[in-house]
C-alpha cells in the first residue's frame, strides 16, 4: 500500500459511531457476579433456613466459645506457664519475602538503581510497618530465594541466612541496621516529620540485647567490621555453593557501596538539619555545641 | 531499573527458546516494553496562599497555639512566611544540656555496652563453672559416701540384732533364775541385770589382769632365754 494506514483503523471508526456508554449499555462479564445465598427463601433455603433442628443451634442460644457444658474447659484446665509472658513487649519485625521483593521490582515499584531503604519499601506500599505496635522494622525471609534475580543494595532490620545468600549471589549488598522507634516513625513517614519543623534526630544505638546481633558479620550488621563482613561473604558463598561476584568491578559499585552512617536516618541528610518543605531548603545549625551533639 | 532485570530475564528466555524450539518463533514486542509503575501520593496541602499564623499577643488565641511546638509546626508548614525565627527550632543550651545528660544516662556508648555484656557473660560463666565444679566434687565423693552409708546401715542393723539377742538371753536367764517369765520392766529383773553386769565386769577385770601377767611374763622369758642362750 502506498498511502499510510490510519492508526486504529476500523476499530476507531466503530468506536466513533457507537452510542455513548451508559449504565444501560453495560453488563458484567459472565461469571463475574455470583448470586448471593439467601436464607429462608424457596424449597431449599426455606423451612429451618439452614439452622438445623430445634435446640440451641436453631434457637441461637449457644454458650460462649470454649464452654464445655460446665466441665472445666481446656483453656482454664491447662496451667499457665510463661511462654507468652511479656509478648506485647517483644520486638516484632514485619516479614518481607524475596518473592514479594522480586514482585515489587518487576512491577517497577521499587527502584533498583538506588539503595533500597525502608522508606522506599513503604513508599512502594510493599510493606506496612507500625512502630506503635512494637514493630522495629522489616525482616527479610528466604521464601522465593530460588527465583530471586535482582542486584540491589538493600537495608533491612533482620535477615535470614538464605535471604542474605540469595541477595549476594546476584551481586547485591545487604545490611542489617537498627532504628529505634522514634527514628523508625520518622523513616516510614518522612514528609509528615519534615512538616513538624523539628531538626532530624540522631539514631540511637541498639540496646544491650540487640548490640551483639548488629555487631555480627554473619548477619551483615551495620556495626560489624568490614573485613569480617567480606570474609563472611566468602564463607556464605562457599556454604551455599555459588561464586561470589566481585562488586568492585561493577558499574554500580558506587551505589552498591552506599551505606548510612551509624547515626544517620536518611541518605544525604545529617542529624540536626531542618528541612523546609514549602521553600525546599535545608537549614543547618551553626552553634558549636549543637554541632558537637549532633555529630557525636 | 526494572529494565535491567527484565533484559536479563528476556535474554535467559531467548536462550532457552532458541535452544528448544524452531526458528519460527518471534519474540512478542510487549516483553521489551519497560514496565514502570508509580504510586500516587496524597497531594500535600501546604495552604501557602492563606496561611493561618495566630496572633501571639491577642487573648483570643488558644494557649496551645502560642507554644514552641506549634511554632515549629508553623515553620514546617509555611516556611519563612510564618515569621518564626529558625534559630528557635533547635534546642536551647539548657535543653541541650538536659538532652545530653539524659542520653548519657539512658544510652551508653557502644564500648560501655560491650563491656557490660562481657562482664555479665563472664560472671554467668564463672557462676556456671563454680556450680559445675561443686557438682563434680560432690559426685567424686559419692562412692565413698554411699559405702559409708551402707556400712553405717549394716552396723546399726547389726547392733539392733545384738541388742535383741542380748535381751533375749537376759530374759531366758531371768526365766531360769526366777522360774517364770519376768517382765523386763520389773524391779527384780532390773536387779538381776545389774548383778549380771557386775559379774561380767569382775570377769573382765580378771581377764585383763591375767592378760597383763601373761604379757609381762612372755616378753621377760624370751629375752631371758635369748640372753641366756
Amino acid at each position: 500500500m502506498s498511502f499510510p494506514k490510519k492508526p486504529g483503523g476500523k476499530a476507531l471508526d466503530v468506536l466513533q459511531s457507537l452510542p455513548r456508554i451508559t449504565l444501560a449499555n453495560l453488563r458484567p462479564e459472565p461469571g463475574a457476579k455470583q448470586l448471593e445465598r439467601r436464607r429462608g427463601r424457596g424449597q431449599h433455603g426455606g423451612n429451618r433456613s439452614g439452622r438445623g433442628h430445634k435446640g440451641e443451634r436453631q434457637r441461637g442460644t449457644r454458650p460462649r466459645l470454649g464452654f464445655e457444658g460446665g466441665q472445666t474447659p481446656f483453656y482454664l484446665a491447662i496451667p499457665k506457664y510463661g511462654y507468652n509472658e511479656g509478648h506485647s513487649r517483644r520486638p516484632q519485625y514485619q516479614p518481607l519475602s524475596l518473592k514479594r521483593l522480586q514482585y515489587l521490582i518487576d512491577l517497577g515499584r521499587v527502584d533498583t538503581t538506588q539503595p533500597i531503604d525502608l522508606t522506599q519499601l513503604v513508599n512502594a506500599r510493599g510493606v506496612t510497618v507500625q512502630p506503635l505496635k512494637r514493630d522495629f522494622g522489616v525482616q527479610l525471609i528466604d521464601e522465593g530465594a530460588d527465583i530471586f534475580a535482582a542486584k540491589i543494595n538493600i537495608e533491612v532490620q533482620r535477615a535470614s541466612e538464605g535471604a542474605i545468600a540469595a541477595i549476594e549471589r546476584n551481586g547485591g549488598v545487604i545490611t542489617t541496621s537498627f532504628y529505634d522507634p522514634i527514628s523508625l516513625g520518622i523513616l516510614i513517614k518522612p514528609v509528615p516529620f519534615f512538616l513538624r519543623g523539628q531538626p532530624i534526630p540522631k539514631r540511637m544505638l541498639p540496646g544491650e540485647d540487640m548490640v551483639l546481633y548488629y555487631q555480627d558479620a554473619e548477619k551483615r550488621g551495620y556495626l560489624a567490621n568490614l573485613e569480617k563482613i567480606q570474609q563472611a561473604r566468602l564463607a556464605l558463598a562457599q556454604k551455599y555453593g555459588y561464586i561470589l561476584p566481585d562488586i568492585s568491578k561493577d558499574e554500580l559499585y558506587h551505589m552498591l557501596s552506599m551505606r548510612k552512617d551509624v547515626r544517620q536516618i536518611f541518605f544525604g541528610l545529617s542529624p540536626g538539619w531542618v528541612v523546609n518543605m514549602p521553600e525546599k531548603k535545608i537549614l543547618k545549625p551553626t552553634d558549636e555545641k549543637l554541632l558537637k551533639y549532633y555529630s557525636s | 531499573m526494572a529494565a535491567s532485570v527484565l533484559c536479563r530475564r528476556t535474554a535467559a528466555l531467548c536462550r532457552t527458546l532458541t535452544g528448544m524450539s524452531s526458528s519460527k518463533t518471534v519474540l512478542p514486542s510487549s516483553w521489551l516494553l519497560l514496565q514502570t509503575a508509580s504510586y500516587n501520593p496524597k497531594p500535600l496541602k501546604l495552604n501557602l496562599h492563606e496561611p493561618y499564623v495566630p496572633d501571639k499577643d491577642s487573648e483570643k488565641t488558644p494557649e496551645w497555639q502560642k507554644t514552641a511546638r506549634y511554632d515549629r509546626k508553623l515553620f514546617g508548614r509555611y516556611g519563612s512566611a510564618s515569621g518564626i525565627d529558625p534559630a528557635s527550632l533547635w534546642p536551647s543550651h539548657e535543653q541541650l544540656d538536659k538532652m545530653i545528660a539524659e542520653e548519657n544516662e539512658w544510652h551508653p556508648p557502644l564500648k560501655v555496652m560491650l563491656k557490660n555484656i562481657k562482664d555479665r557473660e563472664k560472671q554467668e560463666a564463672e557462676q556456671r563453672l563454680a556450680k559445675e565444679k561443686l557438682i563434680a566434687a560432690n559426685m567424686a565423693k559419692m562412692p565413698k559416701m554411699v559405702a559409708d552409708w551402707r556400712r553405717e546401715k549394716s552396723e546399726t542393723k547389726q547392733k539392733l540384732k545384738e541388742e535383741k539377742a542380748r535381751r533375749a538371753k537376759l530374759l531366758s536367764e531371768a526365766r531360769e533364775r526366777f522360774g517364770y517369765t519376768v517382765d523386763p520392766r520389773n524391779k527384780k529383773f532390773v536387779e538381776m541385770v545389774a548383778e549380771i553386769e557386775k559379774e561380767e565386769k569382775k570377769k573382765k577385770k580378771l581377764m585383763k589382769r591375767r592378760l597383763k601377767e601373761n604379757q609381762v611374763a612372755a616378753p621377760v622369758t624370751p629375752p631371758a632365754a635369748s640372753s641366756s642362750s
Side-chain angles (χ1 to χ4, degrees), chain A residues 18-28:
Chain A
L18 276 176
R20 69 171 63 175
I21 287 182
T22 57
L23 281 175
N25 298 332
L26 291 171
R27 182 190 290 190

Side-chain angles (χ1 to χ4, degrees), chain A residues 127-195:
Chain A
V127 286
T128 307
V129 178
Q130 298 167 303
L132 294 173
K133 299 283 178 193
R134 274 73 62 193
D135 269 358
F136 271 67
V138 143
Q139 55 174 327
L140 213 52
I141 291 176
D142 42 350
E143 183 191 338
D146 42 344
I147 51 163
F148 192 74
K151 184 164 66 176
I152 48 171
N153 176 5
I154 190 161
E155 189 199 47
V156 285
Q157 278 66 57
R158 275 182 107 88
S160 66
E161 211 186 22
I164 298 173
I167 290 183
E168 292 185 345
R169 182 189 303 145
N170 291 300
V173 169
I174 177 164
T175 325
T176 48
S177 55
F178 174 78
Y179 288 90
D180 57 289
I182 301 175
S183 308
L184 194 70
I186 294 168
L187 187 69
I188 55 173
K189 291 187 175 168
V191 172
F193 170 74
F194 295 143
L195 289 176

Side-chain angles (χ1 to χ4, degrees), chain A:
Chain A
M1 290 293 208
S2 55
F3 57 87
K5 267 210 294 197
K6 206 167 48 164
K10 291 185 191 157
L12 195 61
D13 291 335
V14 165
L15 205 64
Q16 282 171 345
S17 59
L18 276 176
R20 69 171 63 175
I21 287 182
T22 57
L23 281 175
N25 298 332
L26 291 171
R27 182 190 290 190
E29 185 76 13
K33 294 284 178 187
Q34 180 95 351
L35 283 173
E36 66 163 285
R37 196 187 156 180
R38 294 178 70 212
R39 306 262 183 181
R41 302 278 185 283
Q43 180 191 5
H44 303 288
N47 238 342
R48 297 197 201 91
S49 313
R51 294 294 306 238
H53 173 68
K54 279 193 190 175
E56 285 176 344
R57 291 159 200 249
Q58 196 178 17
R59 290 163 184 153
T61 48
R62 262 191 173 143
R64 66 184 180 276
L65 184 69
F67 187 67
E68 289 176 20
Q71 168 183 287
T72 313
F74 174 79
Y75 72 92
L76 289 179
I78 303 297
K80 274 204 226 181
Y81 186 78
Y83 296 117
N84 297 332
E85 199 172 319
H87 72 283
S88 57
R89 286 171 211 224
R90 288 182 201 154
Q92 297 178 13
Y93 297 90
Q94 183 74 7
L96 173 69
S97 63
L98 286 170
K99 188 174 154 195
R100 176 129 178 102
L101 189 58
Q102 185 63 64
Y103 171 79
L104 295 170
I105 291 168
D106 288 343
L107 291 177
R109 278 154 74 162
V110 160
D111 194 1
T112 48
T113 56
Q114 295 296 322
I116 296 177
D117 197 10
L118 188 55
T119 326
Q120 305 304 317
L121 289 168
V122 168
N123 283 350
R125 311 295 193 269
V127 286
T128 307
V129 178
Q130 298 167 303
L132 294 173
K133 299 283 178 193
R134 274 73 62 193
D135 269 358
F136 271 67
V138 143
Q139 55 174 327
L140 213 52
I141 291 176
D142 42 350
E143 183 191 338
D146 42 344
I147 51 163
F148 192 74
K151 184 164 66 176
I152 48 171
N153 176 5
I154 190 161
E155 189 199 47
V156 285
Q157 278 66 57
R158 275 182 107 88
S160 66
E161 211 186 22
I164 298 173
I167 290 183
E168 292 185 345
R169 182 189 303 145
N170 291 300
V173 169
I174 177 164
T175 325
T176 48
S177 55
F178 174 78
Y179 288 90
D180 57 289
I182 301 175
S183 308
L184 194 70
I186 294 168
L187 187 69
I188 55 173
K189 291 187 175 168
V191 172
F193 170 74
F194 295 143
L195 289 176
R196 268 178 245 164
Q198 287 172 21
I200 297 175
K202 49 180 188 177
R203 230 200 303 173
M204 290 293 133
L205 288 169
E208 277 180 17
D209 46 342
M210 291 200 242
V211 145
L212 287 175
Y213 181 88
Y214 290 108
Q215 275 228 316
D216 201 356
E218 305 277 327
K219 312 277 193 292
R220 311 291 186 271
Y222 72 131
L223 298 169
N225 218 346
L226 286 168
E227 291 124 22
K228 286 196 185 152
I229 288 184
Q230 184 56 30
Q231 286 166 8
R233 280 166 63 96
L234 289 164
L236 199 69
Q238 280 201 329
K239 179 174 173 182
Y240 277 78
Y242 59 87
I243 305 165
L244 187 69
D246 199 357
I247 308 174
S248 49
K249 299 198 175 64
D250 207 322
E251 56 198 2
L252 292 167
Y253 174 60
H254 177 70
M255 185 280 287
L256 288 173
S257 58
M258 270 170 91
R259 238 178 164 219
K260 281 189 202 169
D261 180 55
V262 174
R263 296 286 197 183
Q264 204 183 8
I265 300 182
F266 297 109
F267 275 118
L269 291 174
S270 280
W273 294 359
V274 171
V275 172
N276 191 352
M277 289 217 64
E279 279 149 24
K280 300 192 180 159
K281 285 186 190 161
I282 294 179
L283 307 171
K284 303 181 191 181
T286 48
D287 187 27
E288 291 152 9
K289 226 174 157 184
L290 280 171
L291 283 169
K292 193 172 153 226
Y293 169 72
Y294 281 118
S295 61
S296 63

Side-chain angles (χ1 to χ4, degrees), chain B residues 5 16 85 172 195 213-214 218:
Chain B
V5 163
T16 49
D85 180 28
S172 62
E195 276 175 34
E213 281 165 16
N214 284 344

